[in-house]
Amino acid sequence: MLENKARTPISEVGEFGLIKHLTENIKLKHATSLKGIGDDAAVIDNGGETVTVVSTDMLTEGVHFDLTYVPLKHLGYKVATVNFSDICAMNAVPKQLLISIAVSSRFPIDALEELYSGILIACERYNVDLVGGDTTSSVSGLTISATIIGEGIKDKLVYRNGAKEKDLICVTGDLGGAYVGLLLLEREKGVFASAPGAQPELEGNDYILERQLKPEARIDIPMLFSEIGLQPTSMIDISDGLASELMHLCTQSELGAQLYEEKIPLDPMTYERAREFNLDPTTCAMNGGEDYELLFTINADDFEKIKGNPDITVIGYMTDKNSGVNLISKSNSSHPIVAQGWDSLKK
Ligand code: ADP
Ligand code: MG
């Protein structure tokens, strides 16, 4: 029974507001709980040089995925890789995965086999062991929860709150593709609904469709940092869009930021398809989400270490808090950034 009679709708505060509301008074009891709520993963101190990092994520049918166009094998792969991504965002390496499913009677065993084949392919590729989980029934649809355990070196972990003023803001890969891929899938679903039997027109869009359906975690980046001897000052993975993630780095590091629109890396296909949808490609990168690239900051003195790397782009720098978080447009005007990233709990 609900004891508290006052009713505040969740949609008023959204996902982050709700998490804050529920967790802000939590105090950690154990010295081994090195990092609790608030980062891409929690950190557990084992007393030695290495630490354990843990993160969990849940995907719900109808909210996070639509099985009319998402193959279950891809879904399995994605559930795994999006969890690996949170470990990479700590500058750590994913090692063990637990998968829990709540499934309705609508799903035959074969469907769940498909899901698991995708999970296991990801585990194979990323050298992760599937070590447990839970299975239960659901009254409607499919919900999948994954918990990932990773390993990191205590002194090399990267948190969201370590950025310093004048640090360079860097991003891996390119942004916005996963969102434009989603729009394409949604469009074809709409076409199919109005004309059953119509064949989806998806040809020639492999890159953005893969970005949406089969994202990869940037496990190569912690390895690269180790090879080139680079210690980022802060880091987060891009699950909800560049704007939202940059806001997290700024809030937690108590800084502002200056971002340059012209520097934001976009794939040509993302750019063209966004335009066809009458969307601003920059907006897709800022607010689209699900790219699972890494956003991180480095000391400007470390620039030489990443200079010329085609996989890393410097997109701005950190400023003092009072300057706010701003996007400098291609026409050189400054616009305050508001995180409008995807939030399943907002209206
Ligand atoms: P991410 O986007 O990296 O998955 P989230 O935005 O989901 O991170 O979560 C932010 C932080 O809040 C994380 O540290 C996460 O563990 C924590 N968190 C999220 N939901 C809950 C919850 N229901 N109870 C406790 N902690 C939560
Ligand atoms: Mg994350």
Side-chain angles (χ1 to χ4, degrees):
M1 288 295 284
L2 288 174
E3 300 221 334
N4 191 342
K5 293 270 161 37
R7 288 178 189 278
T8 311
I10 293 171
S11 57
E12 243 174 52
V13 290
E15 177 186 341
F16 300 123
L18 179 64
I19 297 173
K20 186 164 179 262
H21 182 76
L22 296 176
T23 65
E24 62 189 345
N25 295 321
I26 292 177
K27 301 254 184 311
L28 300 176
K29 290 182 279 298
H30 300 288
T32 47
S33 306
L34 209 56
K35 179 85 190 178
I37 292 159
D39 220 295
D40 289 285
V43 181
I44 300 162
D45 194 343
N46 305 315
E49 199 183 57
T50 63
V51 289
T52 301
V53 277
V54 196
S55 178
T56 191
D57 254 309
M58 185 152 60
L59 301 182
T60 306
E61 185 179 357
V63 178
H64 301 96
F65 58 88
D66 184 334
L67 291 175
T68 45
Y69 54 73
V70 176
L72 279 158
K73 192 170 173 178
H74 286 66
L75 180 63
Y77 192 88
K78 183 168 176 173
V79 167
T81 55
V82 305
N83 272 274
F84 302 164
S85 177
D86 275 321
I87 300 300
C88 298
M90 302 299 291
N91 204 23
V93 185
K95 298 276 177 169
Q96 288 92 12
L97 181 69
L98 294 97
I99 295 285
S100 300
I101 51 174
V103 62
S104 77
S105 56
R106 178 182 121 225
F107 291 86
I109 294 176
D110 315 65
L112 298 173
E113 274 175 5
E114 280 287 300
L115 177 76
Y116 267 70
S117 74
I119 295 173
L120 291 171
I121 290 171
C123 286
E124 208 48 47
R125 280 206 190 144
Y126 285 81
N127 197 27
V128 168
D129 292 325
L130 182 58
V131 296
D134 196 20
T135 307
T136 188
S137 61
S138 124
V139 279
S140 75
L142 173 68
T143 295
I144 314 162
S145 161
T147 299
I148 181 73
I149 300 169
E151 194 178 289
I153 298 168
K154 196 172 174 180
D155 299 340
K156 303 279 177 196
L157 283 191
V158 182
Y159 297 94
R160 292 177 180 180
N161 64 6
K164 298 278 174 293
E165 212 178 316
K166 299 198 177 72
D167 278 357
L168 302 178
I169 303 168
C170 309
V171 69
T172 61
D174 55 77
L175 302 176
Y179 179 67
V180 182
L182 176 66
L183 292 180
L184 205 63
L185 289 163
E186 288 281 347
R187 182 188 73 189
E188 293 310 310
K189 183 189 166 188
V191 170
F192 188 79
S194 56
Q199 285 300 307
E201 277 185 47
L202 296 170
E203 232 165 78
N205 294 298
D206 288 4
Y207 180 66
I208 54 174
L209 291 173
E210 280 213 3
R211 295 290 282 170
Q212 169 57 222
L213 294 173
K214 208 175 132 294
E216 303 291 348
R218 297 307 305 250
I219 199 167
D220 55 319
I221 297 298
M223 277 189 255
L224 175 79
F225 290 156
S226 157
E227 271 163 34
I228 63 177
L230 177 64
Q231 179 67 19
T233 51
S234 70
M235 183 151 63
I236 187 168
D237 74 328
I238 304 185
S239 51
D240 304 331
L242 176 59
S244 167
E245 314 303 359
L246 181 63
M247 292 300 265
H248 284 309
L249 294 187
C250 287
T251 311
Q252 298 212 19
S253 300
E254 296 181 48
L255 292 174
Q258 185 107 297
L259 208 62
Y260 293 89
E261 181 183 13
E262 60 175 11
K263 304 279 187 201
I264 297 172
L266 295 165
D267 182 82
M269 190 188 289
T270 303
Y271 188 91
E272 278 166 34
R273 294 298 172 276
R275 282 278 180 230
E276 286 165 19
F277 279 110
N278 280 323
L279 287 173
D280 176 8
T282 303
T283 308
C284 296
M286 293 297 282
N287 298 318
E290 293 201 289
D291 289 313
Y292 297 101
E293 295 294 342
L294 295 174
L295 176 71
F296 59 95
T297 55
I298 62 171
N299 186 297
D301 292 341
D302 283 330
F303 176 63
E304 287 297 320
K305 295 180 184 169
I306 55 149
K307 193 174 151 192
N309 187 322
D311 241 11
I312 297 177
T313 314
V314 177
I315 55 174
Y317 62 93
M318 301 302 279
T319 62
D320 71 297
K321 193 178 173 182
N322 293 332
S323 306
V325 185
N326 298 295
L327 180 73
I328 309 300
S329 75
K330 287 176 183 162
S331 57
N332 213 22
S333 54
S334 178
H335 307 267
I337 294 175
V338 269
Q340 292 167 332
W342 192 75
D343 185 334
S344 67
L345 297 175
K346 274 227 160 131
K347 274 179 199 139

